[in-house]
Amino acid sequence: MSDTHTGVPSALAYELPRPVPADELAACPAGEVFRRVGDKWSVLLVVLLGGRPHRYNELHRAVEGISQRMLTRTLRGLEIDGLVRREVLPTVPPSVEYSLTPLGRSLLIPLSALADWAVRHEGDIRRARSDSTGR
Amino acid sequence: MSDTHTGVPSALAYELPRPVPADELAACPAGEVFRRVGDKWSVLLVVLLGGRPHRYNELHRAVEGISQRMLTRTLRGLEIDGLVRREVLPTVPPSVEYSLTPLGRSLLIPLSALADWAVRHEGDIRRARSDSTGR
DNA sequence: CTGTATCCTATTAGATACTG
DNA sequence: CAGTATCTAATAGGATACAG
């Protein structure tokens, strides 16, 4: 890296879509999405449903740690935003199947990219944290 | 479409890194990252600093709506996780410059992919929401 | 200019009990 | 099986005042 910082940090700049001006960010829908996806369970559920459809209690067992309340709430939120589809099957006793909509599946792609980043840089973050905390 | 599919339901399956098994997700560092990045201000600040380094009050003005408390707290969090660098310049009065670390810049890439998704599907989400709520 | 400290509110999430 | 209802604890976040 030859340049200090007279603009864009040079090494990665060509890989990035573009520099984003500040005023454009404020009105940007990205904020909404990051909060939808940034809660405690949404990503987990989306990725899980990305593998295959699941029934309610199936999700409850798979996620481990989620309360019924939060499972229901999170699924409702995802359903309202059009990411998840809820289908009641006419069985006795009733069963409900949750699956990703096409929109939900399309989200899975950038989501996976971010998850990938997380896996690759897990160590960096933990190291940085313990440099701050531990010492 | 001639499918050689194994059992993956989606037409998008071949675009995805892989189906993620449930037990792998629980222990996965992705959750940590999505929460770090899912709070109200982190993404905004990271993307902003991705454009160029900023000083404290510069960020305070650029973000608009953030309190001093949250600006400081969010920057500290990002610094602790090694995404942001804080440099005190020996001026009078003192000035502090915040910039992305290489780790922070690398995060900018998947972050931009997700932001891109948000921009492209903003309408879909709003439509889904109003189908549920307002009607 | 660059923060800290304090107080207060709203939101998130967990636990538990109950229902069609 | 697939939820709802209620209560409570923890956390996030804003407003304001003050400080080096």
Side-chain angles (χ1 to χ4, degrees):
Chain A
M1 245 183 259
S2 54
D3 200 357
T4 42
H5 51 244
T6 57
V8 189
S10 51
L12 288 169
Y14 64 93
E15 298 187 59
L16 298 174
R18 53 170 177 156
V20 182
D23 52 347
E24 183 178 339
L25 273 174
C28 178
E32 288 294 312
V33 171
F34 281 100
R35 304 220 60 185
R36 132 74 47 237
V37 138
D39 66 14
K40 196 167 181 180
W41 304 108
S42 288
V43 171
L44 199 55
L45 290 176
V46 167
V47 177
L48 214 53
L49 293 177
R52 61 172 177 83
H54 285 71
R55 288 175 39 197
Y56 182 87
N57 271 358
E58 211 174 357
L59 288 172
H60 198 195
R61 281 187 297 271
V63 170
E64 178 166 28
I66 195 171
S67 60
Q68 279 192 326
R69 175 183 142 88
M70 288 315 297
L71 178 55
T72 301
R73 275 181 58 102
T74 306
L75 287 170
R76 286 287 177 279
L78 293 169
E79 190 191 359
I80 285 175
D81 284 357
L83 300 170
V84 159
R85 177 168 177 237
R86 175 178 182 272
E87 186 179 9
V88 182
L89 304 176
T91 60
V92 182
S95 57
V96 178
E97 187 177 81
Y98 292 92
S99 56
L100 290 188
T101 62
L103 184 63
R105 285 196 297 273
S106 74
L107 174 60
L108 213 46
I109 297 172
L111 227 51
S112 299
L114 193 49
D116 244 44
W117 183 94
V119 172
R120 273 203 297 275
H121 296 284
E122 180 190 9
D124 297 332
I125 291 182
R126 268 219 298 270
R127 211 168 307 121
R129 278 188 188 168
S130 62
D131 281 358
S132 298
T133 335
R135 198 161 44 88
Chain B
M1 191 186 292
S2 65
D3 55 48
T4 51
H5 67 76
T6 56
V8 185
S10 148
L12 288 169
Y14 64 92
E15 298 186 59
L16 299 174
R18 52 168 181 160
V20 182
D23 52 347
E24 182 177 342
L25 272 173
C28 176
E32 288 293 311
V33 171
F34 281 101
R35 303 218 63 182
R36 133 70 51 236
V37 137
D39 66 14
K40 196 168 180 179
W41 305 109
S42 288
V43 172
L44 199 54
L45 291 176
V46 167
V47 176
L48 214 52
L49 294 176
R52 60 172 178 82
H54 285 70
R55 286 178 38 202
Y56 183 86
N57 271 359
E58 212 174 355
L59 288 171
H60 198 195
R61 282 186 298 270
V63 171
E64 177 166 26
I66 195 171
S67 60
Q68 279 192 327
R69 175 183 141 89
M70 288 315 295
L71 178 54
T72 302
R73 275 181 57 103
T74 305
L75 287 171
R76 287 285 177 278
L78 294 170
E79 192 193 358
I80 286 174
D81 285 356
L83 300 171
V84 159
R85 176 167 177 238
R86 175 179 182 271
E87 186 178 10
V88 182
L89 305 176
T91 61
V92 182
S95 56
V96 178
E97 187 178 83
Y98 291 93
S99 56
L100 291 188
T101 62
L103 184 62
R105 286 197 296 275
S106 74
L107 174 60
L108 213 47
I109 297 172
L111 227 51
S112 299
L114 192 49
D116 245 43
W117 183 93
V119 172
R120 273 203 296 276
H121 297 284
E122 180 190 8
D124 297 331
I125 290 182
R126 268 219 297 270
R127 211 168 307 119
R129 279 188 188 167
S130 63
D131 281 357
S132 297
T133 342
R135 194 30 145 105

